[in-house]
Amino acid sequence: MSSTDRRASGSGAIKPAYLIAGTDEGKIDAALSRLRARAEREGGPGALESFTADGQGPPDADALIAAIPSMSLMASRRYLLADGVERWTGKQAEPVIAALGALPPDLTVVLVARELPAKTKAPRGIAEAIEAAGGDVLRYQAPRMRELPGRLVAEASQRGFRLEPAAARLLVERLGESTLRLANELERLAVWAGPEGEVTVEDLEAMVADTSEEAVWALSDAILAGDPGTAIRAADRLAAQGEPVTPLVYQAARRLREAHAALLELEAGSSQGDVEARLRMHPYAAKMLMRRLRGASPADLRAATCAVADLEWWTRGGSEYPDDVALTLAVRRAAGAGAGAG
């Protein structure tokens, strides 16, 4: 483990301030996961306060500054997080830089700049202010395209399974250069392979042989996760492939019914292993479905299933919407009513 990774891993003395910056979104998100885990371990769920804006707006600099002198009666240490400070203007960053010069001893401020080469950088002066406050600047730069397969092989080994080099190259070809997307796929493959398992080119080809089935799974997963944007993109992809709506309705509804039944079994006291074994699907698919159900509620899943059922009625003459419009409306409604269990 590098010194940078050790500083962000949650081990050792915590610093009063950090700037986490760079183009490697996978490593940035991993560092933030370690930060959240440490904050919850030390002070409970409320120990970390986020000032990250919804959508593409900048973090709320004024609210962040106002929270710095506050005191907590519960947590021994407070953590303030502002993700997306690369969107601050110099005027917004200036009072934050000044506030970093007088941090309380029980506080850690974490600023995150998701940079793009030659385009977006953290505002001038933030890195210097972090270091002047006794903090650290952690930089994670995404590897070049040709370096990605080797990195995937190494990270697979760290996760306890072997990724064939040719399979790593295929992953990069299929998924592109996004380190966050590749990291998510490695997590899926680790579940599929199991401890000391192996993933080969043949395994990957089999997983994505039927692109329509893959997209239907993506659609169902997005509905379960309560992610309308991703669900609509998956539906659009299926429509672009010329898939008729009726089979999509059937497959998505079946997945939601399976999820609903599994959740009811869990709430009735069945173990996760027993529920997975009773699902009529590949063990890997069953494990991933169970992950999606974390935090879900039967009521949300019933509402999502009803939204998909309405789509079937709409496409059988129940509305004047064209099929593609009906599909978009139903998917948005289903995902909006979904479990939010991503």
Side-chain angles (χ1 to χ4, degrees), residues 181-193:
R181 189 177 183 190
L182 290 167
N184 289 338
E185 190 61 25
L186 278 184
E187 182 178 351
R188 292 175 181 267
L189 291 175
V191 174
W192 183 88

Side-chain angles (χ1 to χ4, degrees), residues 218-233 235 256 300-301 303-308 327-341:
L219 171 60
S220 302
D221 281 346
I223 291 174
L224 288 173
D227 185 346
T230 300
I232 290 170
R233 286 193 293 273
L256 290 170
D300 285 338
L301 287 178
T305 305
C306 288
V308 173
L327 177 62
T328 298
L329 291 174
V331 165
R332 179 183 290 129
R333 179 182 156 207

